[in-house]
Amino acid sequence: MTELSDEVETATATDGEAATPPETATRDVTVAPDTDAPVDVRGAIYIPARAFNFYQMWRDYDHEITDRDLGYAEEVNLNAIRTWGSYEFWKEDPEGFFEAFEDLASTADDHGIRVLIGLFEGIGNQPTRANLEDEDLMTATGVASPSNKVLSDRSRWEDTRKFTRQFMDRYADDDRLLAIEVMNEPGWNSRRVAFSKAMYETMWEMRGSVPLTIGATSMAKNAKYADWNLDLFQFHYNFPTTQEDFRDALRQVVTLDENMDQPVMLTEWQRVRSGAGFHTAPPREQRTPDYASMAPTITEMGVGNFFWSLMLQPAYFSSQREVGILNGLFHEDGAVWSLEDARAIKAMSGEDSVEGLEERQLWPKWTEPIKQEVYGESVGTETPEESTADTPTEAEAEDETPSGDSESAEASDA
């Protein structure tokens, strides 16, 4: 994800409760046990392929889909996922939300996977009824949570605290969870920072053994949260322009990690691509996944990480969707977009065999309208990348459309 219209403001003492940091000193918690693998925490962002936002994920929660998808994650030796709850769905159906989350946590545990769960989301369109329920392939994208109206009205924060308290009451000591994240990417926006701080204080008051954290685009933005007593620092680096730039940045983070009390993880990454900025349209051949352009460096540096995303789907974010970005590793039937990507990701565990996996570099059939809208191509038209791919079997052709060069995207700049 990336930050949209951050106001370059900072929270001050006038933010009241939100400006008061927790008084307890940083605590000693275990985020992940040491293993013999090159990388201890090997994760992916998870949202079902056909859910356009996290409200839809929980509203339409399906155990069979979750079990299938996390089985795919297990095939490449992932041991963690990062996902988000939905305050908006909780407001409609509190028990429904917790029943669904409990099933996800249990299913993940069955696959040897721990969950990093975010409670609120700083990025996306406003959570209006239309945006929450939108399923149009060109307009249905991620939604922020809570709304700007809630962020601006402290009298409405008691309800978000109720959501936070209910979650902490159930899961603060649940070892199926890797960490609990208060919000993804509040950035420098004063309202989001103040709100996040207030909710984090509620989490801290009810803290258990599960580490507490916040999603941040960069280590520089983590300075904003230095007095929050986070148990885990995150940073995002989705689109480095060169492998050398990424290596240099990761080396600096590793050095910082060695001198900090809290661990640091790369919780969003995608691919190397040319062009500066998250919203810049890359060349067409760079609009599809290329995790192998970054994964070997992550393995070498031994950094805990989450790539965006486990399931192959159109970009989560509107500026990426509009230019025909595709991201993810697995098709819904278990084929992978790229065997090279699957091999590079699995290598983080110390193994790199992908025997039994099938490669298919074709857009899923249900995403055809995006290809037609963005590239002006009729169904059945091959793009340069697909013309060099293996010809699909007859069964595959019935389920997949010849696709195009689109890319792994979504998430945020470093």
Side-chain angles (χ1 to χ4, degrees):
M1 300 178 200
T2 191
E3 291 159 60
L4 279 176
S5 55
D6 272 356
E7 302 162 13
V8 185
E9 302 177 67
T10 58
T12 67
T14 58
D15 289 323
E17 178 184 359
T20 305
E23 296 179 356
T24 308
T26 300
R27 61 205 180 115
D28 184 17
V29 296
T30 300
V31 175
D34 290 335
T35 69
D36 294 330
V39 180
D40 293 332
V41 176
R42 306 177 300 276
I45 303 296
Y46 178 62
I47 181 172
R50 304 202 195 196
F52 293 108
N53 55 57
F54 290 96
Y55 170 87
Q56 294 180 17
M57 171 178 171
W58 300 112
R59 181 197 65 187
D60 303 331
Y61 183 81
D62 187 317
H63 167 79
E64 297 302 323
I65 290 175
T66 302
D67 187 46
R68 178 199 69 190
D69 294 352
L70 298 189
Y72 298 155
E74 193 175 5
E75 289 188 39
V76 289
N77 291 353
L78 298 186
N79 61 9
I81 56 171
R82 180 174 177 234
T83 191
W84 284 267
S86 171
Y87 165 67
E88 285 70 28
F89 179 64
W90 170 85
K91 281 176 63 67
E92 293 180 6
D93 186 357
E95 289 309 311
F97 169 74
F98 283 114
E99 286 175 8
F101 181 75
E102 176 60 27
D103 186 84
L104 180 139
S106 295
T107 304
D109 189 53
D110 290 342
H111 289 283
I113 290 171
R114 296 173 74 199
V115 180
L116 194 168
I117 177 73
L119 300 187
F120 301 100
E121 168 64 283
I123 305 306
N125 296 322
Q126 285 299 292
T128 62
R129 177 57 51 192
N131 287 337
L132 290 171
E133 297 183 349
D134 191 2
E135 295 182 0
D136 184 288
L137 280 169
M138 291 308 301
T139 60
T141 55
V143 294
S145 175
S147 68
N148 285 342
K149 290 182 179 179
V150 172
L151 293 177
S152 300
D153 184 355
R154 289 174 177 275
S155 69
R156 301 177 68 176
W157 290 8
E158 188 53 39
D159 197 48
T160 57
R161 283 194 185 90
K162 181 179 179 181
F163 172 53
T164 303
R165 290 188 185 108
Q166 287 188 8
F167 192 92
M168 294 297 293
D169 184 57
R170 288 167 169 81
Y171 295 106
D173 287 300
D174 194 322
D175 60 9
R176 296 173 300 178
L177 272 58
L178 180 74
I180 303 171
E181 172 185 302
V182 63
M183 177 178 271
N184 180 58
E185 298 185 7
W188 303 117
N189 182 287
S190 63
R191 291 179 302 183
R192 291 202 300 254
V193 171
F195 173 83
S196 298
K197 187 61 170 293
M199 296 307 109
Y200 188 81
E201 288 176 349
T202 298
M203 290 167 57
W204 186 265
E205 291 167 1
M206 301 182 68
R207 65 192 179 280
S209 60
V210 178
L212 306 180
T213 185
I214 189 168
T217 53
S218 67
M219 290 308 294
K221 286 200 170 117
N222 274 311
K224 181 72 181 176
Y225 322 123
D227 62 353
W228 291 27
N229 293 318
L230 299 174
D231 296 317
L232 164 67
F233 282 108
Q234 302 182 40
F235 73 104
H236 304 159
Y237 202 171
N238 282 278
F239 301 117
T241 55
T242 68
Q243 291 178 336
E244 291 73 20
D245 286 346
F246 180 58
R247 179 182 298 275
D248 288 345
L250 211 56
R251 185 179 294 113
Q252 293 176 37
V253 170
V254 168
T255 300
L256 185 61
D257 185 27
E258 292 171 348
N259 292 281
M260 294 177 63
D261 294 327
Q262 305 95 329
V264 180
M265 288 188 191
L266 172 62
T267 53
E268 290 182 21
W269 64 275
Q270 296 186 55
R271 62 162 296 157
V272 172
R273 75 180 194 188
S274 59
F278 181 79
H279 301 286
T280 302
R284 186 167 178 183
E285 67 274 10
Q286 295 179 10
R287 299 184 194 183
T288 47
D290 186 7
Y291 301 114
S293 65
M294 296 176 69
T297 302
I298 297 171
T299 302
E300 177 188 342
M301 298 288 186
V303 176
N305 67 95
F306 296 78
F307 66 90
W308 194 300
S309 61
L310 179 66
M311 302 307 297
L312 190 70
Q313 56 199 164
Y316 175 85
F317 201 59
S318 58
S319 66
Q320 301 288 312
R321 182 82 59 83
E322 291 167 359
V323 296
I325 299 293
L326 189 71
N327 59 278
L329 182 62
F330 283 97
H331 286 270
E332 291 177 284
D333 67 356
V336 294
W337 176 266
S338 164
L339 284 173
E340 184 180 6
D341 285 352
R343 187 175 295 110
I345 288 169
K346 190 172 183 179
M348 294 183 191
S349 70
E351 303 175 12
D352 62 2
S353 172
V354 291
E355 184 178 354
L357 290 181
E358 170 198 352
E359 178 177 292
R360 188 187 310 132
Q361 294 192 1
L362 298 173
W363 281 59
K365 184 176 178 60
W366 60 275
T367 66
E368 288 177 4
I370 297 178
K371 182 181 176 184
Q372 296 175 30
E373 175 73 20
V374 174
Y375 299 119
E377 296 170 352
S378 60
V379 175
T381 303
E382 286 188 339
T383 61
E385 180 177 286
E386 291 168 352
S387 66
T388 63
D390 292 338
T391 303
T393 65
E394 182 176 349
E396 291 166 357
E398 291 177 357
D399 187 54
E400 303 284 344
T401 182
S403 87
D405 289 329
S406 217
E407 184 229 303
S408 131
E410 217 129 306
S412 64
D413 50 356

